[in-house]
Amino acid sequence: MQLIQNLEWRYATKKFDPEKKVSKSDLENIKKTISLAASSYGLQAYKVLIIEDPEIRKKLQPESWGQSQIVDASQLIVFCNYTNVDNQVIDDYLKLKADIQNLNLEDLKDYGDFMKSKITELPDEIMKAWTAKQTYIGLGNLLVACAELKIDACPMEGFSPEGYDNILNLSEKGLSAAVIATIGYRSEEDMTQHSKKVRKPIQELFETI
Ligand SMILES: Cc1cc2nc3c(=O)[nH]c(=O)nc-3n(C[C@H](O)[C@H](O)[C@H](O)COP(=O)(O)O)c2cc1C
């Protein structure tokens, strides 16, 4: 399976070559792959920021444990979850679904009421955790897309969500930084690329019942 070879090739890149940039067409393919990620009810309750601006990235670096990938990679990708999913968000989704699938919006009312009953009453913290979890599926798709395109990437949780929310004015848009990734090309000096992958044996990770 070519996918397995691609995933063996990839690694969480610690040092990027700041001179090498991801092409526009590769970036479009990565965006498309993220957009095709599955999400709960199909709501895609997040937004993805692609940050190229070096000044903003310089400001974000101290909020990211000082990690060099933030400024050296070609792009910094910030997955931001919506902190509240209200009736309007669900109605907007149903309208989109009706338009795309050529359905009668009224026929989706029961489904919409069901979704609303399950989602809108969730306590704040559970709602935020639920929308944040969706972003990780997008992150997974990003990593797979990058591996296929032979673009290096580093998934990252080593950052302060509050710091990012402030610098990027996310709260006023109802968003919060959930997880980030940097993409670009590995530096020859990044010794991590020579390390063997550390994974549990398959028979330990899986159990068939
Ligand atoms: C959600 C998540 C957060 C991570 N955060 C960081 C990070 O902040 N900095 C970093 O250098 N690597 C980070 N990593 C990379 C992991 O350490 C790496 O994926 C793991 O050690 C396995 O190695 P591999 O990805 O090279 O196969 C993160 C990975 C994931 C999935």
Side-chain angles (χ1 to χ4, degrees):
M1 203 179 164
Q2 184 62 38
L3 178 61
I4 292 178
Q5 283 170 34
N6 293 338
L7 293 176
E8 277 167 350
W9 171 86
R10 70 148 292 279
Y11 74 106
T13 306
K14 305 294 171 199
K15 196 168 166 40
F16 284 86
D17 182 337
E19 303 305 323
K20 293 193 185 154
K21 303 292 174 202
V22 172
S23 72
K24 272 205 166 80
S25 66
D26 281 346
L27 192 58
E28 288 310 311
N29 280 325
I30 293 168
K31 285 158 70 173
K32 185 78 186 165
T33 311
I34 295 171
S35 82
L36 286 169
S39 65
S40 200
Y41 300 101
L43 283 174
Q44 298 179 289
Y46 57 90
K47 200 168 178 78
V48 188
L49 304 184
I50 298 168
I51 306 188
E52 296 181 338
D53 186 317
E55 290 309 314
I56 298 178
R57 287 165 59 173
K58 242 187 248 166
K59 281 192 207 156
L60 291 171
Q61 191 181 23
E63 303 294 340
S64 322
W65 302 358
Q67 297 186 82
S68 68
Q69 298 99 314
I70 301 296
V71 288
D72 287 344
S74 176
Q75 277 86 10
L76 165 65
I77 315 288
V78 184
F79 290 85
C80 309
N81 59 306
Y82 282 101
T83 49
N84 186 32
V85 177
D86 58 17
N87 284 343
Q88 189 59 52
V89 173
I90 295 168
D91 287 338
D92 289 347
Y93 166 74
L94 293 175
K95 171 140 194 354
L96 185 68
K97 182 177 169 67
D99 285 349
I100 291 177
Q101 296 184 334
N102 210 10
L103 304 170
N104 238 328
L105 193 54
E106 295 80 59
D107 293 342
L108 298 173
K109 188 180 176 310
D110 286 352
Y111 180 51
D113 289 345
F114 172 76
M115 282 163 74
K116 287 171 189 170
S117 74
K118 292 283 172 209
I119 298 169
T120 58
E121 297 303 318
L122 290 175
D124 275 4
E125 288 312 307
I126 294 189
M127 171 91 79
K128 282 184 212 159
W130 174 65
T131 55
K133 280 193 281 185
Q134 313 296 321
T135 66
Y136 283 73
I137 306 174
L139 173 70
N141 277 23
L142 173 146
L143 294 174
V144 171
C146 285
E148 179 166 332
L149 294 166
K150 294 287 183 289
I151 289 171
D152 288 298
C154 188
M156 302 170 85
E157 274 178 333
F159 70 99
S160 153
E162 296 77 25
Y164 271 56
D165 292 355
N166 284 336
I167 292 168
L168 300 171
N169 298 317
L170 295 178
S171 311
E172 62 197 45
K173 296 174 195 147
L175 292 165
S176 178
V179 68
I180 63 175
T182 44
I183 62 171
Y185 294 91
R186 64 188 69 176
S187 157
E188 281 174 17
E189 292 163 20
D190 187 359
M191 289 306 141
T192 326
Q193 65 191 288
H194 306 299
S195 305
K196 275 192 156 178
K197 280 225 173 291
V198 180
R199 292 297 189 271
K200 290 179 183 173
I202 295 285
Q203 59 274 24
E204 190 184 326
L205 187 60
F206 297 90
E207 190 177 336
T208 306
I209 298 172

